[in-house]
Amino acid sequence: MQSGNYMSGNEAVAYIKKEIQRQFGESMRLDEEKSAWEHQGWFMLRFRYMPRCYTIYFEGEFNGFNIRITKDDGAYIALAQLTNYSSNLTEMDLRNSIEELKSVLKTEIAFYKIINGKRYQEVNGGYRRIKR
């Protein structure tokens, strides 16, 4: 497959799993895989990043995908908030986004959390209310 061609959901799922294994090895494990190909090729892969106990979600449909990082306490952040990556469902974009993910996971991440309907940001290990 050429790197600029869009992948089907099946192809993308197989490629993501292969590329995660190649780049992360034993530090990332697949916990869940869901798909509904009849709904615009929707899929979701849930990985566990062992060194930091983060959960990584790859979710895609149509010709695009998103990556989300969460913590066990319910905190979350989208990879797109941390780095720029192209989210087209192509081999090149998937590979590049996984490389970006690997780079981001080596840094400290300030997560967001919703508490009592209000948004908080992680600051120095605690959560501070965002007032806007």
Side-chain angles (χ1 to χ4, degrees):
M1 167 166 277
Q2 293 178 352
S3 61
N5 294 339
Y6 283 96
M7 300 173 133
S8 71
N10 291 358
E11 293 171 316
V13 165
Y15 184 80
I16 292 167
K17 292 191 304 189
K18 181 182 91 178
E19 191 64 16
I20 287 285
Q21 177 62 41
R22 185 183 76 75
Q23 290 198 37
F24 287 93
E26 295 297 315
S27 66
M28 187 87 79
R29 131 186 130 220
L30 179 63
D31 279 351
E32 184 179 15
E33 179 178 338
K34 292 181 180 179
S35 62
W37 308 123
E38 67 279 5
H39 293 286
Q40 291 82 37
W42 177 84
F43 67 87
M44 187 276 300
L45 297 171
R46 186 180 77 203
F47 292 92
R48 185 70 168 175
Y49 181 62
M50 307 307 284
R52 294 212 176 163
C53 297
Y54 294 161
T55 301
I56 312 296
Y57 293 88
F58 280 79
E59 189 169 6
E61 64 182 340
F62 294 114
N63 291 327
F65 67 96
N66 294 303
I67 301 171
R68 189 169 26 111
I69 307 166
T70 65
K71 291 180 19 175
D72 291 339
D73 68 355
Y76 62 90
I77 194 157
L79 182 62
Q81 290 177 271
L82 302 171
T83 187
N84 291 329
Y85 69 93
S86 182
S87 61
N88 295 314
L89 211 52
T90 66
E91 184 177 313
M92 182 177 64
D93 289 346
L94 285 167
R95 182 180 53 253
N96 290 343
S97 68
I98 293 169
E99 289 170 359
E100 288 291 328
L101 174 65
K102 187 174 182 180
S103 178
V104 162
L105 290 175
K106 292 177 183 176
T107 66
E108 289 300 316
I109 300 171
F111 288 86
Y112 293 94
K113 189 173 183 179
I114 303 297
I115 302 171
N116 296 324
K118 295 176 175 59
R119 190 171 181 189
Y120 290 75
Q121 183 175 25
E122 190 173 27
V123 178
N124 298 325
Y127 292 96
R128 181 176 295 159
R129 172 93 192 280
I130 298 172
K131 296 179 182 177
R132 291 183 200 185

